[in-house]
């Protein structure tokens, strides 16, 4: 039977205190939605079936190049991380899978599987890492990895990705996500065309090793760690890659990896239309790749992305099956709390997008009634779907208010007592 | 025999006053380049053979949505415009072709040809206009043109493009440039996928009418006149279009049409690598699509674009033949002066890019010597190639200092006397 | 007695059809807010007392430098505009004042007053216009106005502002808003320091003429119509101006006039703290000064601004009394509809900000509980305050659903029949 | 007598190989400048007298939050750093001072002074560090330092700054630079007004301890390490600080700390005009605070900043005396090489700005001759002042080509042999 890090008692007690009010709100909203021709229970059930993956590295405190300020009870290894992930899923019921990062999470595969199964968790996409040098590594990635000018360094990076696939196979993963830090800091440092040729050539080797039922996700990023150019700088280049590699290759969209002002929901639409949307790394940002908590700065943008996703689903776009993952840097919060709230935000945007009256929207679009089209989206967005999300959690055995339940549980204090403090004041890795 | 708007006497007199100093500077630079293994005369000859098209609308004063402040002697029609363009080419010898905009420049084709031939000018790409409503037009483009939800409006827009091709055929043009203002101002106003499908469908009709020796250039623009989304928003979408349409379709890059911070030279490289770079609209910008004078704000960026172009040429990239055109809005200068200076800036960047020591650059790139790679580009950029440009003009019959010669000629005062002032304080069209 | 452009009958009929549902939603929300310790009626009364000014020019269709596409029934003069403004206030009860733009709205002051009084409207801040040349004007503003190098041009611009004050006095206005287009398009074109000195000198003359009970609002704008530099480019310069001029001078914040990514709510906080926040021009934007409808793209940002305003009010900041005005460009909608929806959005943000639990927020801030501080704001923002806004309108004699009532009224069709179509395809003025 | 890390022999040998060509280029440029009414020797002497400070931390390899890739021979402590700085000054003769960072560079003050004096170096501004937690520190800066909600933490941060002043006194420093990482990552996390009040209160204590002949530089930064708001976010807030603190307080402008598209040279002008420009941190950037090498991406922007500085100097602005310092992150180059090239770039921009014909420029500005104003600046910028810089170095005992001489010297290999390799793959601190 599945274990849970937090006692069922506590969750039930916390829920009991909130249930009456929740039911009142749920009923009132249900009545309102009914007038709008929507069944609240149907939305609740869609929400309950929705999941977003948690990145193993997300449960540790992040940092910047200036500093990292760890909190109490930082996970010491992948097994601590899995336990933290289990807390998140126990209380939100929205994060049934974990995404691993190799070599950070390297361990005996069988032990990994058992650790996850113990909490009823599974593994999402595997993530390779060729943007850092790891102890014992022969060739440095200082000047690139899959696109490096040196063939031996490229080979080493390819081999690392092949190893990630091998590990993933044993864990039941079905996808490999490749993000590289390759790029340049000076005009002239890199020959754009040759670097991209080398990258494509390396990726073709990785692609060739992909099992038939796997997908390959490539991720673009406009800048950082390279600050003049990056090899996979935007969705245009990412699309070229997916086309060059083949039908199992897809583009991954990280919400924070674009130029200022860019219309991300439109990029999502284009990739869906041309059959190459692989999935998302969710987060929010104000200035760049800030890796802020999902929906914390611009919740309407998140809704607009889900508006595209739900629209595509309802249009039955062939092969449409995007992966969802959180990818954030938690510098000033308890990472478990941030991930619970962010998973909720993703679910909230999904629920709001389900409420869009698509018939009215399509009519407004056809008639160029811009104002009413906008109001149609806004009506869905403004609906406080909180009671739906809470009821979905309640029915699935989660917490009505995950953060409050978590704080009441004393989990963090217990972890702090069990896990020795991490020292060091260096810059952060996220 | 070719006529010239400004008397040869004046040009010679002005040149004579500058020739001695020019020769001294040319010799000194020649000696320095010789030490660097470069023949200055070879560079001068490449420069002399280089040309950039002038847009017919560029010789009128531009404006903003707030106001337009016309100058004296504004061209009244396309024939005045051709004469102004002739001045630019006479003095710079760098702008042998004119790009027309239909319906602004509509006139009897034979008369247009004669007017251009009189000054030894030819016609570059044709430009269609479906971002404005024109008198007598049946359907409005307020809500789009080639992507409009209404089939009749799309048809009208397609027909207009077909007409542009027909006119172009009689004028010896070999390309059609399509830029549309289609997009939306509100989330929800437009269905991204359907709008793009309609656009592609319309463009396929235009493409089908293209003569075999023509090229079709599509131009992306991130925003304006639509401010939430545009149908052809970036190079990724532009690339999709060119791929969908076929081998005669290419992407046109306007330097001002990108998101903040975007690395444009890298986009240029990608489009070259995948065989879809059609050409350029040159200008400069600080905040957005400001349509400032080419090279006036960030001359190094212009050089970096030409560094890609010269590099591709030297690598003998198959089918590489980009079109060059200026596209600027002259709000506070005499447009003839701005276009002369901007043509010179384009030529300057070309000349500087020719000076890059590509053997050293390639070695630095191979060895990841970022600093020396940067310095290799900088050495070329820092070289004051002014004497080369002036000598190329002098040998071709142009002016050593085009702006000084133009001012001395009194051309603008004469035009002001002949052409009645344009009145009206409305917003500007550019 | 006050006239209304739309018959009371129609409004009542429309309201009657919506009243039952509204009451149900209002009650359910009231119960929820009661649990949160908030009286819904108190919020409704605050909302009912809230007003935002409508700009006279806002009721005409806007445009871009590329084109303007007028709609049916465009107002022909300030009297038509006042009638359109009356519709907005009749249905929303949120826009009791009009902001005039001179010389666009020039007319016999007594007639203006009567026209407004007829509909129960008053006049907000006066707006001068020295960014366009007007017929009969002696000196051109092509190269600037209040900061022009030529003393006579500066004098003309000063005189124009003095005239605006004089007109405003007769109309009961209590403020002058000064926005200029002065700036430069080329590095070097303008001497930054001297231009600013001239501007300050001119403004001191304007300030000297200000009645004792008036305020002077200066408005910064990062770019456009000048594209390399503007004289009043940002809030820092705006603050310097307000300090130099004196206690009646304040900074006006237009939400669309900032650099990408800038934290506007923080600027609002700084200006409040140093006693120099004058007021707002509300709109929304995605790429720059897009002048999109308020709250249409980033509603959370609008809320965060009001969070600062309500916070300052509750702290009883001395002299805190910001002016509120909409300032948008309506290019694809019926301007009356856009202004009604935008006035509602401003009111919505105000209502949401009133719901913030400031005691909890202050505690979270003190304890650096970043996550709960964020959730405290989000709880207020997520509350669907629509029923409160509708009930406030209903009680004040407005429409439960202003846009639906307006469409049902046939006002636009009637206006189109009475007002001849505006022709011309020029660029737009907004 | 002053020691030099590299033998005089080597420098002389390297210079000898370049002297003939240099003299030819210098003469040819001299003749050209003579025609423009400029004495090349006068410019060379101004250049020779110009200096820019090197930050002690700049000689180590920088990094990002993702990784840091150290190079060979990394300095182990401040004494190694001083030796590296001595190399830079020996070869460029442009960096006579070092800026220290406490506690990174903490050591016995007398030893520090001797170490610097040995190489003829002096100390520039002191830099405090309250953006990291240091071993043994009682209160964490995770949630802020000088603006922290906790009084004891603020006190600790104040004390640290006072200590920096004390250390600086013994070293002959005359300025303290304060940059803090304080800010927030979530809307609501911080009360903007209260945080700024606390900051000002703390800074008043620091200011009170400032010796009479010292200056206090505060540095603004739009974002990072805080990603939603920073306490000193822009020059407007920075100016408020300098005004609040008093006459010894000045604003420091780091070129990379602004929003996208911002016109930095205009900010420089405003701060000069209002007597509050303290100095610069020079670097370059493409996307944000990339800390790229000065002038490597946009050399014209650097020139435009110096155009303001030279203009102010020539206008004899009272109290104008800005401090110059490099502040960059060297992730892919030898830091010594980067700093030598960057010092040269700063000097180059200064030399180019000295060449601007200010009489012509002022006339163009007065007459609104935008095109010729632009060309006047461009003429100065395009002048290849390389021979002037090299001759200034040669006359001062430096290297004609510093990077080539440095590479020939084998200094880095020697350092690598003497200094054990730094291990660890963590994120970088810069």
């Amino acid at each position: 039977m599945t274990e849970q890090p937090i006692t069922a008692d506590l969750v039930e007690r916390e829920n009991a205190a909130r249930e009456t009010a929740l039911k009142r709100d749920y009923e009132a909203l249900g009545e309102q939605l009914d007038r709008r021709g929507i069944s609240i229970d149907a939305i609740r059930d869609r929400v309950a079936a929705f999941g977003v993956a948690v990145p193993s590295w997300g449960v540790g405190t992040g940092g910047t190049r200036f500093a990292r300020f760890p909190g109490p009870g930082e996970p010491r290894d992948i097994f601590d991380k899995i336990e933290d992930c289990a807390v998140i899923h126990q209380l939100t019921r929205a994060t049934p899978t974990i995404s691993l990062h190799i070599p950070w999470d390297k361990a005996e595969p069988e032990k990994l599987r058992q650790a996850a199964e113990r909490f009823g968790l599974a593994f999402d996409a595997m993530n390779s890492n060729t943007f850092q040098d790891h102890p014992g590594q022969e060739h440095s990635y200082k000047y690139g990895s899959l696109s490096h000018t040196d063939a031996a360094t490229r080979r080493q990076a390819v081999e690392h990705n092949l190893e990630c696939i091998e590990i993933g196979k044993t864990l039941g993963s079905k996808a490999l996500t490749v993000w590289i830090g390759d790029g340049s800091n000076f005009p002239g440092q890199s020959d754009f065309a040759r670097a991209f040729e080398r990258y494509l050539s390396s990726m073709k080797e990785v692609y060739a090793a992909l099992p038939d039922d796997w997908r390959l996700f490539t991720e673009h990023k406009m800048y950082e760690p390279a600050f003049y150019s990056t090899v996979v700088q935007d969705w245009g280049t990412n699309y070229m890659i997916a086309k060059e590699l083949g039908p199992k290759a897809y583009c991954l969209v990280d919400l924070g990896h674009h130029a200022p002002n860019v219309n991300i929901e439109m990029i999502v639409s284009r990739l869906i239309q041309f059959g190459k949307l692989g999935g998302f790394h969710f987060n929010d940002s104000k200035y760049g790749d800030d890796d802020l908590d999902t929906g914390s700065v611009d919740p309407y943008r998140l809704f607009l992305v889900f508006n595209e996703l739900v629209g595509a689903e309802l249009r039955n776009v062939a092969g449409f099956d995007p992966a969802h993952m959180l990818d954030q840097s938690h510098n000033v919060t308890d990472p478990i709390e941030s991930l619970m709230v962010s998973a909720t935000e993703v679910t909230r945007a999904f629920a709001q997008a389900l409420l869009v009256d698509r018939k009215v929207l399509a009519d407004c679009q056809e008639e160029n009634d811009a104002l009413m089209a906008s109001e149609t989206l806004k009506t869905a967005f403004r609906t406080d779907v909180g009671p739906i999300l809470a009821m979905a959690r309640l029915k699935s055995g989660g917490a009505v208010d995950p953060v409050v339940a978590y704080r009441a549980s004393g989990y963090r204090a217990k972890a702090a007592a069990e896990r020795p403090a991490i020292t060091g004041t260096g810059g952060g890795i996220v």
Side-chain angles (χ1 to χ4, degrees), chain A:
Chain A
M1 202 204 120
T2 303
E3 272 182 58
Q4 298 294 10
I6 292 175
T7 65
D9 261 19
L10 179 127
V11 176
E12 276 164 34
R13 204 163 54 235
E14 288 291 328
N15 285 351
R18 283 161 185 80
E19 212 167 329
T20 311
L22 171 59
K23 280 190 175 152
R24 290 287 295 164
D25 290 343
Y26 187 82
E27 272 166 33
L29 178 59
E31 184 195 314
Q32 192 201 101
L33 291 180
D34 196 57
R35 269 184 256 132
R36 288 155 61 180
I38 299 168
S39 153
I40 193 169
D41 289 349
I43 303 294
R44 181 203 56 199
D45 293 347
R46 290 293 314 274
V47 162
F50 184 88
V52 56
V54 166
S56 64
W57 60 97
V59 291
T61 296
T64 70
R65 62 171 166 141
F66 295 101
R68 197 176 80 86
F69 299 96
E74 293 280 320
R76 295 157 297 182
D77 55 24
I78 180 61
F79 300 102
D80 281 353
K81 290 179 190 174
I82 288 174
E83 191 177 355
D84 288 358
C85 292
V87 172
I88 298 166
H89 186 52
Q90 177 186 4
L91 298 178
T92 66
R93 310 310 300 160
T95 60
T97 53
I98 303 175
S99 199
L100 296 183
H101 216 291
I102 303 298
W104 295 342
D105 298 332
K106 244 176 137 166
E108 213 183 295
E110 192 45 38
K111 285 199 178 158
L112 280 175
R113 265 183 11 110
Q114 285 171 6
E117 265 174 23
R118 178 182 157 214
F119 297 116
L121 298 171
F123 291 104
D124 202 78
M126 302 298 296
N127 297 269
S128 60
N129 178 334
T130 62
F131 52 87
Q132 296 182 315
D133 284 351
H134 307 288
Q137 179 180 312
E138 192 173 353
H139 306 284
S140 170
Y141 296 136
K142 180 167 188 167
Y143 300 108
S145 59
L146 292 167
S147 79
H148 200 289
T149 53
D150 174 54
T153 311
R154 294 199 300 276
R155 170 112 311 271
Q156 175 183 283
V158 167
E159 295 291 347
H160 168 69
N161 276 282
L162 301 186
E163 185 196 6
C164 290
I165 294 173
E166 286 311 305
I167 297 173
K169 281 186 199 169
T170 70
L171 297 175
S173 176
K174 293 291 175 199
L176 174 69
T177 297
V178 179
W179 172 69
I180 57 167
D182 296 37
S184 70
N185 276 5
F186 289 82
Q189 177 186 344
S190 174
D191 182 300
F192 297 143
R194 284 180 193 134
F196 193 42
E197 280 165 12
R198 293 189 298 259
Y199 170 82
L200 285 171
S201 170
S202 295
M203 284 300 286
K204 279 172 188 169
E205 296 188 56
V206 175
Y207 186 86
L210 212 63
D212 283 349
D213 60 346
W214 276 49
R215 290 189 291 173
L216 180 60
F217 299 144
T218 49
E219 185 176 353
H220 58 273
K221 190 167 198 280
M222 196 207 194
Y223 69 101
E224 198 208 20
F227 290 113
Y228 166 68
S229 72
T230 58
V231 172
V232 189
Q233 89 275 25
D234 61 14
W235 79 271
T237 289
N238 205 348
Y239 175 73
M240 282 172 164
I241 294 166
K243 289 295 284 183
E244 287 290 305
L245 293 183
K248 291 182 289 186
Y250 292 87
C251 304
L252 189 126
V253 176
D254 182 298
L255 298 188
H257 289 189
H258 303 85
N261 304 341
V262 158
N263 187 323
I264 298 173
E265 53 270 31
M266 190 163 199
I267 292 173
V268 170
S269 169
R270 290 284 183 271
L271 289 173
I272 292 172
Q273 191 172 357
F274 282 73
K276 284 298 188 188
L277 180 69
F280 292 91
H281 278 184
F282 291 114
N283 51 55
D284 209 338
S285 58
K286 182 154 184 66
Y287 302 104
D289 182 33
D290 309 330
D291 274 340
L292 298 179
D293 282 20
T294 305
S296 64
V297 170
D298 190 351
Y300 195 49
R301 182 164 51 183
L302 184 65
F303 165 80
L304 291 173
V305 166
F306 270 93
N307 180 49
E308 294 300 321
L309 299 182
V310 168
E313 186 196 315
L314 295 176
R315 285 200 312 275
N316 292 309
V317 171
F320 177 70
D321 180 24
H324 302 130
M325 193 181 94
L326 297 172
D327 187 12
Q328 312 174 154
S329 180
H330 310 110
N331 301 354
V332 295
T333 57
D334 181 326
I336 289 177
E337 296 187 4
S338 269
L339 287 165
M340 289 195 302
V341 170
S342 296
T344 304
E345 285 305 288
V346 169
T347 315
R348 184 187 314 277
F350 173 60
Q352 291 166 327
L354 289 171
L355 300 183
V356 172
D357 190 327
R358 295 195 180 267
K359 172 73 180 67
V360 168
L361 181 65
D363 288 351
C364 290
Q365 290 169 342
E366 188 66 26
E367 293 156 26
N368 295 302
D369 188 349
L371 187 119
M372 275 302 177
S374 170
E375 285 296 294
T376 302
L377 293 187
K378 281 291 188 66
T379 297
F381 175 71
R382 282 176 201 140
T383 308
D384 183 356
V385 298
I388 300 177
L389 309 185
M391 198 58 92
R393 283 193 297 269
L394 184 63
K395 286 207 63 170
S396 311
V400 170
D401 189 326
V403 174
V404 168
Y406 169 74
R407 291 192 175 187
S409 77
Y411 179 84
R412 178 60 65 190
K414 196 166 61 86
E418 287 169 4
R419 305 172 183 171
I422 283 172
T423 55
T425 61
I429 307 281
V430 171

